[in-house]
Amino acid sequence: RPSNAFLKARAPLGPDSRLPATGTVLRRDLKGRNLEVTILDDGFQFESRAYPSLSAIASEVAGSRWNGFAFFGLTPAQKDRV
């Protein structure tokens, strides 16, 4: 099984293609709380703090582990199964 260091060394450079452009503000309401996250060149900003991932923000505000892309609605819509 490859180590994390090996995988990071092999990771493609540049921004994640699933993210909107730098400077974009993601918004989500959670239990009456308005969440706003700004996409930075090297991470994310939420409530004046820098975060390395959307998952870190989502997990902190939700109180449980979350996929950041799913939490902020950045995943393609699932098609209904017939």
Side-chain angles (χ1 to χ4, degrees), residues 28-31 33-37 46-47 49 51 54-66 68 71-72:
R28 164 142 186 205
D29 290 325
L30 180 68
K31 299 179 181 178
R33 182 177 173 194
N34 184 33
L35 309 176
E36 292 189 354
V37 174
F46 173 66
E47 296 183 339
R49 285 183 49 203
Y51 289 82
L54 288 174
S55 295
I57 298 167
S59 297
E60 183 175 305
V61 298
S64 61
R65 282 191 79 165
W66 267 89
F71 186 83
F72 287 100

Side-chain angles (χ1 to χ4, degrees), residues 1-79:
R1 184 170 184 217
S3 70
N4 284 343
F6 173 81
L7 293 174
K8 285 181 182 178
R10 299 284 184 226
L13 299 176
D16 190 317
S17 63
R18 298 172 292 177
L19 289 173
T22 298
T24 299
V25 177
L26 303 176
R27 292 180 174 86
R28 164 142 186 205
D29 290 325
L30 180 68
K31 299 179 181 178
R33 182 177 173 194
N34 184 33
L35 309 176
E36 292 189 354
V37 174
T38 303
I39 298 176
L40 307 174
D41 285 329
D42 59 349
F44 305 90
Q45 183 175 358
F46 173 66
E47 296 183 339
S48 301
R49 285 183 49 203
Y51 289 82
S53 69
L54 288 174
S55 295
I57 298 167
S59 297
E60 183 175 305
V61 298
S64 61
R65 282 191 79 165
W66 267 89
N67 175 292
F69 289 97
F71 186 83
F72 287 100
L74 297 176
T75 58
Q78 296 265 339
K79 293 184 178 181

